Amino acid sequence: MEAAAAILGLLFVLFVLAGVFVTVKAVKAAKRGVDRTVAQARRTVEDTSLRARQFAQPGVVGELAQLRLSLRTSMRATQEALHGASSDDASLSEAIGLFERLSAHGHELDDELRRLEREPDRATIATRLPELRERLEQITHSAESLRWAARDRARKFADDDLASLSDQIDVEAGALRHWTRVDDATDPLREPVQPPADGPSRRAAGGAQDAADARTGRSTAGGGRSGAPAPEDPPAITARDPRTQPSYPWQKAPRRTEGTPT
């Protein structure tokens, strides 16, 4: 009795632990989903405000907004391209590592541009813009290089797979047409051609054939005179009745002519 109680208590504890584990996993997954949703909403709001500031505030403030928007757009596109292709190509792990290092420089530049947006001295911002623009071009160029290299690699793999598939389909199509034989001497299934006979042998064979034909003609003539029955003619081929032919779902019904009984 005590052993059964101990087993039941142990099972209860295990069920409780399993329920706690599942609950914690569900809460963490829900928290990650909420964090992703909040981050995406925050990015959308920031991008919208940057676009509005770019057109509504001309001058250095609008140029700072344009620089931030270009940086964020390029880095986000590269991140999506690399992470989207990494599931099918494990060799992109090194490229993802390089992009993470590049992202650190991008975050640093974005933070500096955000601080300059709150800077009241416009002249200082104007003197810093050429340097910031050069850093932005270097970062975005590196990001674009990684992005287009990943896309070219994926397209190359797709082209190679398509070419291999086309070759396999051609081979299978040829195998399906195995009844068609081309008059080619290299075809292993081609029937061998008998070589022509020599002159004397050909003449001897011709004489034997003529003698056989003559005997056949005499026996035929003698049989006609002796009243032997002539060979019967082959029976005429009777056309099939369309009503008795098998029908298929893709065939149309036979057209009935006038006067044909139904």
Side-chain angles (χ1 to χ4, degrees):
M1 190 67 181
E2 295 179 357
I7 293 174
L8 290 176
L10 181 60
L11 290 177
F12 177 76
V13 171
L14 290 177
F15 280 129
V16 170
L17 292 178
V20 172
F21 178 77
V22 172
T23 304
V24 171
K25 294 289 288 184
V27 170
K28 288 184 178 180
K31 184 178 182 300
R32 287 195 298 267
V34 171
D35 292 340
R36 285 195 298 267
T37 304
V38 171
Q40 185 176 1
R42 185 184 296 111
R43 286 195 300 266
T44 303
V45 171
E46 291 180 356
D47 292 345
T48 303
S49 62
L50 287 176
R51 290 189 180 92
R53 199 179 307 162
Q54 177 183 357
F55 296 104
Q57 297 180 358
V60 292
V61 178
E63 190 169 356
L64 287 175
Q66 181 182 1
L67 293 178
R68 289 190 63 193
L69 189 60
S70 300
L71 176 64
R72 294 162 67 91
T73 303
S74 178
M75 298 298 287
R76 189 178 301 121
T78 304
Q79 182 180 9
E80 292 177 356
L82 291 177
H83 287 279
S86 61
S87 59
D88 298 330
D89 189 0
S91 61
L92 291 177
S93 58
E94 185 175 357
I96 293 176
L98 293 176
F99 175 74
E100 296 297 334
R101 294 173 56 186
L102 184 65
S103 296
H105 294 279
H107 289 305
E108 182 180 354
L109 178 59
D110 186 70
D111 294 339
E112 188 172 355
L113 292 174
R114 186 186 295 108
R115 287 192 300 267
L116 287 177
E117 288 178 349
R118 298 188 294 268
E119 177 65 38
D121 188 2
R122 306 301 184 190
T124 303
I125 299 176
T127 56
R128 295 287 309 277
L129 277 179
E131 178 189 356
L132 297 175
R133 192 179 299 110
E134 184 179 358
R135 287 175 58 189
L136 173 67
E137 291 177 356
Q138 186 175 3
I139 292 175
T140 55
H141 176 72
S142 299
E144 289 175 358
S145 299
L146 287 175
R147 182 170 68 251
W148 286 109
R151 291 177 178 175
D152 292 342
R153 182 180 178 86
R155 185 172 62 252
K156 175 62 177 176
F157 286 164
D159 293 341
D160 293 343
D161 184 69
L162 179 59
S164 176
L165 179 61
S166 299
D167 294 339
Q168 294 177 7
I169 289 176
D170 292 339
V171 172
E172 181 64 20
L176 292 175
R177 297 190 184 96
H178 65 280
W179 66 86
T180 304
R181 291 300 171 192
V182 183
D183 190 7
D184 189 2
T186 60
D187 190 358
L189 299 180
R190 181 172 176 266
E191 295 182 358
V193 179
Q194 296 293 336
D198 297 336
S201 300
R202 189 186 300 117
R203 287 193 296 270
Q209 184 66 29
D210 294 340
D213 293 340
R215 288 194 300 271
T216 304
R218 287 195 299 271
S219 61
T220 303
R225 287 192 299 269
S226 61
E232 298 180 358
D233 295 334
I237 300 177
T238 305
R240 294 183 179 179
D241 189 354
R243 294 172 295 178
T244 61
Q245 292 182 358
S247 59
Y248 300 95
W250 58 85
Q251 289 182 340
K252 295 182 179 180
R255 184 179 299 175
R256 297 177 179 177
T257 58
E258 295 181 0
T260 303
T262 58

